[in-house]
Amino acid sequence: MNWSEPMKLIRPLAALSVVAASALVLAGCASNADEAEAAVGGEGAGETVSFSFQNNTAGEDEDPVYEDVTVEVPKNPENVVIFDMASLDTWGTLGGAPVVGAPLDSVPDYLSDFVADDAINAGTLFEADLLEIEAAQPELIIVAGRSATLYDALSDIAPTVNLSSEGSFQEALERNTAFLGEVLGVEDEAADAVADIEAQIDEVTELTADIDSGLSVMVSGDSLSALKPSEGDYSGRNLRGGLVYDVFGVAPITDDIEGATHGEPVSFEFLKEYDPEYLFVTDRNAATGEEGTQSAEVVLDNEIVHSTRASQDDHIVYLDPVAWYVVFGGLETAQIMIDDMKAGVA
């Protein structure tokens, strides 16, 4: 998958007109929220949860452009389409019904049980197949991060929320888990799950307090990029790269790194020059499954890397590439990240 492809909406204009006309006939003067409320069955039928958020309409590599939005979300919806893997993670972990649509090629194996066997392929992390989605008649659509720019088009189909990070990793996890817990009527379970994650993060930071310095890097192709702490800038380009430092308390070997979605390109000599005690590696090659690329272990198998303190002390920590690069959020993913750090620094 090419993560850098520009976002496009897969929907012929002629089909748009037909579907729009049909929707008007079926819906009359009812709003999308009204339709969703009427469609929800079982406990909580007809009830809604009000959710307010700042919708970022800019792309992943662009400066954010926000608008304030409030959406009425039906409680206990059965037909849900989720584009954001972190949201899919938390939704399924809290017991939400298997979703009827998602970007199927991007769903990690460990989240596959959260997707219905007959689910539609809703597109990609950057694109939406609006015809397929509308045919599925979802009661709720969830976007975030890479898919945030799809909000306007998808909100014409059904109530749509953008769960992109607002604030730190922990703040976003708590906020989004609380919201989804309220939608599913499992508020106490959601609060307990977040408390457990936070307690385990505290355990990891006690371990990392003994590390004098670390460096988080990303391997892409045969190249290396250094990642920096977010320094309070929790936009998409910084939040993911800073997780090792910001969430798990690793002291960075240097602050002289430029913030970028995939980090600042550096040479192998950079590793030798700064020589951190620990090296934390995210393998983007493995995360994207791009053909013709080597694993991070192979790329880092050279004399310069072998001469570093991290290599000689067996302190090169390979992080789960899908959890740290693709998802980097959600309850089960947070557990994977915690386990990675515990195993790497214990």
Side-chain angles (χ1 to χ4, degrees), residues 29-325:
C29 297
S31 66
N32 283 327
D34 292 334
E35 292 175 18
E37 290 180 30
V40 177
E43 185 177 354
E47 297 181 23
T48 63
V49 175
S50 181
F51 185 67
S52 299
F53 56 95
Q54 285 190 318
N55 185 48
N56 179 15
T57 59
E60 184 183 17
D61 294 317
E62 301 173 356
D63 291 334
V65 178
Y66 295 109
E67 61 179 359
D68 293 326
V69 178
T70 298
V71 177
E72 293 297 323
V73 176
K75 293 201 69 170
N76 296 306
E78 296 180 358
N79 283 9
V80 179
V81 172
I82 299 181
F83 278 85
D84 175 54
M85 293 301 101
S87 300
L88 175 64
D89 177 345
T90 298
W91 174 267
T93 301
L94 292 178
V99 299
V100 300
L104 299 182
D105 291 340
S106 297
V107 176
D109 289 342
Y110 70 91
L111 300 181
S112 61
D113 288 344
F114 300 156
V115 179
D117 292 339
D118 59 350
I120 63 162
N121 188 0
T124 73
L125 296 178
F126 298 96
E127 303 172 349
D129 189 332
L130 298 181
L131 288 176
E132 286 283 356
I133 295 168
E134 195 155 30
Q137 297 183 320
E139 302 157 53
L140 172 64
I141 303 173
I142 299 175
V143 299
R146 299 175 177 94
S147 57
T149 53
L150 302 174
Y151 173 80
D152 286 340
L154 293 172
S155 62
D156 288 337
I157 297 175
T160 301
V161 294
N162 181 355
L163 296 187
S164 294
S165 298
E166 293 182 17
S168 68
F169 175 88
Q170 292 98 318
E171 289 169 343
L173 182 66
E174 180 178 3
R175 172 176 176 268
N176 294 344
T177 302
F179 163 65
L180 294 176
E182 186 177 3
V183 170
L184 294 170
V186 291
E187 291 92 333
D188 291 343
E189 292 88 339
D192 290 344
V194 171
D196 179 58
I197 291 295
E198 291 178 341
Q200 291 189 71
I201 289 175
D202 289 341
E203 293 175 4
V204 174
T205 58
E206 291 180 4
L207 296 173
T208 60
D210 294 329
I211 297 176
D212 67 45
S213 62
L215 178 66
S216 180
V217 299
M218 182 179 296
V219 174
S220 182
D222 58 0
S223 300
L224 191 67
S225 296
L227 305 173
K228 65 171 292 182
S230 64
E231 299 176 347
D233 179 1
Y234 299 118
S235 60
R237 70 184 67 185
N238 289 320
L239 176 63
R240 177 177 58 203
L243 292 173
V244 165
Y245 317 107
D246 302 331
V247 178
F248 297 106
V250 175
I253 188 66
T254 177
D255 293 329
D256 189 20
I257 299 172
E258 293 183 6
T261 302
H262 299 135
E264 177 187 352
V266 296
S267 65
F268 293 110
E269 286 78 5
F270 180 94
L271 303 183
K272 181 61 177 175
E273 175 185 356
Y274 285 99
D275 203 19
E277 181 183 358
Y278 275 80
L279 187 66
F280 299 90
V281 181
T282 300
D283 187 347
R284 184 174 181 268
N285 296 337
T288 63
E290 187 175 346
E291 295 183 3
T293 58
Q294 298 175 319
S295 69
E297 289 92 335
V298 173
V299 174
L300 295 178
D301 185 12
N302 60 64
E303 292 184 3
I304 297 176
V305 174
H306 294 325
S307 69
T308 63
R309 184 167 45 145
S311 177
Q312 293 175 357
D313 293 342
D314 196 24
H315 287 170
I316 298 180
V317 182
Y318 290 94
L319 306 171
D320 184 289
V322 174
W324 287 78
Y325 180 76

